[in-house]
Amino acid sequence: MILRTPLFSSGIAPRGKITSRTDSSPTRVNSDASRSTARSLAQDSFCPSGLCSCGRRRFIEAAVATSLFPICPSTSVASKLQANDYTAMLRKVHPPRPDWYEEFYASVLNSGMQAYEDEIAGYKSELFASLKGKAQQVLELGIGTGPNLKYYAAADSGLRVFGVDPNQKMERYAKAAAVASGLPLSNFEFIQAVGEAIPLDDASVDAVVGTLVLCSVKDVDKTLKEIKRVLRPAGLYLFVEHVAAKDGTTLRFIQSVLDPLQQTLADGCHLTRETGKNISGSGFSGVELSMTSLSSASIINPQIYGIACK
């Protein structure tokens, strides 16, 4: 049985920074080169941090920091963080995995969530309608294979979406989803990063979207701080998350038992987080939060959805 309460009505440089422009459009800075360099850093096993005598790692990091990520006079957090900081956080939160594993997980996610997406579609449609006329630059955390991209295309024709995900193998699925939804690829950018260190400048996007993502980040509160940091004043944070069932219920007992296994099999997903409390207490000026249960969601019930305003 679905229980529903009223819904609230209402350049980007991957791994680097956003430079200021008069048209407010983010500018890319050597994203292909930075992605290649980041991969080489992640795969470098010959020069462990702090033990490198040949200087190779320091030379690469210095080149990345000075060439790909120029530092501009700014006090923003994003400006202070350099390329190696983002890479280090990515490796810490999402340690390098074999390509076959990343591809397998992406393919399973792409094909195994259709029943859930069909059932949650009505809620998402109402949420994303809130972006119409209010957002031109949108960041989605945990873009995954892009199941939400069809909602962006309906929100505004000129809207640009920047999808963040630590799994690089998600990119081709997300781009295919963008094409299928009618969202031009020129209006979509995939960025390999994690929610705890978003490589965007302060107050750089109109909205942040996260659906089923706070369950798997390492640090929920730090991710929420990053979301607030990149949002412009009065910016919107749209969310759909699964949370722990009520204490004392059979479902909560099952979630507690299966939680360790879930984290292993579902790429760090936690079953017992009370994410709604984190969002409500994270300092947004207003939070409208509703709750429902979905028959297709099995043990990842109940689900919360809503909008927070910076």
Side-chain angles (χ1 to χ4, degrees):
M1 178 178 182
I2 296 178
L3 304 175
R4 190 174 179 188
T5 54
L7 179 66
F8 177 87
S9 59
S10 43
I12 279 184
R15 305 177 195 285
K17 64 178 289 296
I18 290 180
T19 57
S20 299
R21 294 176 60 189
T22 56
D23 60 3
S24 300
S25 298
T27 302
R28 296 179 59 192
V29 180
N30 294 337
S31 65
D32 293 335
S34 64
R35 186 175 294 164
S36 175
T37 305
R39 285 201 194 100
S40 68
L41 285 173
Q43 296 170 356
D44 185 3
S45 59
F46 296 100
C47 299
S49 179
L51 300 177
C52 180
S53 59
C54 64
R56 177 184 175 194
R57 176 177 295 277
R58 293 181 181 178
F59 173 80
I60 294 176
E61 291 179 347
V64 172
T66 56
S67 301
L68 302 180
F69 305 92
I71 301 174
C72 296
S74 173
T75 58
S76 69
V77 174
S79 296
K80 293 177 182 178
L81 288 173
Q82 297 182 23
N84 57 315
D85 295 314
Y86 291 115
T87 302
M89 182 60 76
L90 174 63
R91 295 179 64 187
K92 178 181 179 181
V93 174
H94 189 82
R97 295 161 168 82
D99 279 353
W100 69 264
Y101 174 85
E102 297 282 64
E103 176 59 40
F104 174 75
Y105 188 74
S107 64
V108 168
L109 195 64
N110 188 57
S111 60
M113 295 291 288
Q114 192 56 53
Y116 170 83
E117 290 297 336
D118 289 344
E119 191 172 0
I120 198 70
Y123 299 97
K124 285 188 176 182
S125 294
E126 290 185 54
L127 280 175
F128 282 85
S130 304
L131 298 180
K132 192 170 183 63
K134 299 179 181 179
Q136 285 296 305
Q137 314 291 343
V138 177
L139 164 69
E140 180 170 345
L141 287 179
I143 185 75
T145 58
N148 294 328
L149 290 172
K150 58 186 176 184
Y151 301 107
Y152 294 114
D156 262 311
S157 58
L159 184 145
R160 298 183 65 193
V161 181
F162 303 92
V164 166
D165 202 284
N167 185 346
Q168 189 69 51
K169 298 299 181 180
M170 300 288 188
E171 181 174 10
R172 70 183 182 91
Y173 294 100
K175 286 185 174 180
V179 172
S181 68
L183 181 70
L185 286 181
S186 58
N187 285 20
F188 175 70
E189 178 71 29
F190 183 96
I191 306 170
Q192 187 184 21
V194 291
E196 291 86 348
I198 303 173
L200 277 67
D201 211 349
D202 298 356
S204 56
V205 295
D206 305 303
V208 175
V209 172
T211 62
L212 303 186
V213 63
L214 293 183
C215 60
S216 57
V217 299
K218 290 288 186 183
D219 191 324
V220 176
D221 291 330
K222 188 170 185 177
T223 300
L224 287 168
K225 287 181 180 179
E226 281 289 275
I227 289 172
K228 287 178 58 186
R229 179 182 65 79
V230 300
L231 275 174
R232 290 172 180 152
L236 302 178
Y237 167 42
L238 280 59
F239 58 88
V240 177
E241 300 288 349
H242 66 85
V243 296
K246 187 177 179 181
D247 285 334
T249 61
T250 301
L251 180 56
R252 180 57 181 269
F253 173 76
I254 294 173
Q255 289 174 338
S256 298
V257 171
L258 295 181
D259 191 46
L261 181 62
Q262 176 79 355
Q263 292 178 45
T264 300
L265 298 180
D267 209 20
C269 173
H270 293 69
L271 294 173
T272 58
R273 284 182 171 172
E274 298 182 340
T275 309
K277 294 181 179 179
N278 295 89
I279 295 174
S280 297
S282 58
F284 285 97
S285 64
V287 177
E288 188 73 20
L289 186 152
S290 302
M291 182 177 291
T292 187
S293 291
L294 305 176
S295 60
S296 59
S298 184
I299 60 173
I300 57 171
N301 269 313
Q303 304 234 336
I304 60 169
Y305 62 96
I307 303 176
C309 183
K310 182 174 178 179

